[in-house]
Every structure is written in C-alpha cells, then in structure tokens.
Amino acid sequence: MAISYYVTYPLLVVFFGMFVFFIYNIIMAGRGAVKIDPADAGQAQGEIINIRSSSGENSAFINAIIQVRFITADHKIVNTEVKAVIDVVKVPEYQKGAKVPLIYSRKEPKKIKLKIPSPLDK
C-alpha cells in the first residue's frame, strides 16, 4: 500500500516549518539581553524611581520594569530603566526609593544590569 503524496509532502512541510520555528526561537531568545563588556563595566548604587509590572505567566515571579537613577564614576546623573524578574516574596525590597546595586556600561551609561539575585537561586 503506497502512501499518497498528498499526505507525505504536507507532513514534511509541517515538520520542516516546526523545525525552522524552533531554531528561530532559540537564536532570537538571547537578543533582548543587555550585554556589558567586563572591561567597560562600572559599578554603582541606584535609587529606584518607579517600578511597574509587565505581563508574565508564572504567578511566583513578577516581570518588572524598574526605573533607576544613579551617578556614574565621572559624576553624571543617569535615569534609565531595566527589565527584571522578581520573586513575589521580595517585592517589598524593590519599592520606590530603595537602593539597588547595578553594573553599567561606561560608554553607554543607560545600559545597565541590576545585581539582584535570580529568583531561581535558593
């Protein structure tokens, strides 16, 4: 009994499309991450100006957009925002006016990473 080409080729196209979709998602997953060269990195204490939640799927963690103000090593005041994932239990630690350690790029001070523990670390 022969398998029809009307079944075989559409199935091949579907599986090939799924494969391409998964490869594309893997490649694109890291594009949104902030990358700071260690030789270009500076450290500072930032003050949280505003915090708001963004959409998320897991109820144990909150995806937050945090606006931070900090002073660079050459005494420039920088206001910027960064995305972070916060454990629901630790939300009170990240309220307006709280201090948070951060790493920033000396070339582009608006590029920052907050030095907060990952919610997945226990």
Side-chain angles (χ1 to χ4, degrees):
M1 182 173 193
I3 296 177
S4 169
Y5 290 115
Y6 295 111
V7 174
T8 306
Y9 288 138
L11 285 176
L12 286 173
V13 169
V14 167
F15 286 119
F16 181 73
M18 288 173 39
F19 177 75
V20 169
F21 175 76
F22 288 125
I23 296 298
Y24 175 79
N25 281 336
I26 290 170
I27 291 171
M28 298 304 279
R31 288 193 61 183
V34 175
K35 294 177 180 68
I36 298 174
D37 183 22
D40 179 42
Q43 295 189 16
Q45 279 285 108
E47 178 185 358
I48 296 176
I49 299 171
N50 191 14
I51 182 168
R52 63 185 190 276
S53 65
S54 61
S55 62
E57 297 177 13
N58 190 336
S59 62
F61 308 121
I62 295 176
N63 294 328
I65 299 172
I66 303 174
Q67 292 179 344
V68 180
R69 176 186 304 131
F70 66 98
I71 301 173
T72 64
D74 53 349
H75 306 291
K76 291 181 185 173
I77 297 175
V78 178
N79 292 320
T80 188
E81 65 181 30
V82 64
K83 293 180 181 178
V85 178
I86 301 172
D87 191 348
V88 170
V89 177
K90 297 187 179 187
V91 168
E93 296 176 21
Y94 300 103
Q95 295 303 311
K96 187 175 179 178
K99 301 289 184 187
V100 61
L102 57 89
I103 298 172
Y104 67 94
S105 168
R106 290 191 180 109
K107 293 177 188 170
E108 299 175 64
K110 290 204 177 259
K111 286 176 60 175
I112 67 169
K113 284 185 180 181
L114 296 180
K115 290 174 58 177
I116 59 176
S118 169
L120 299 176
D121 295 339
K122 294 288 177 183

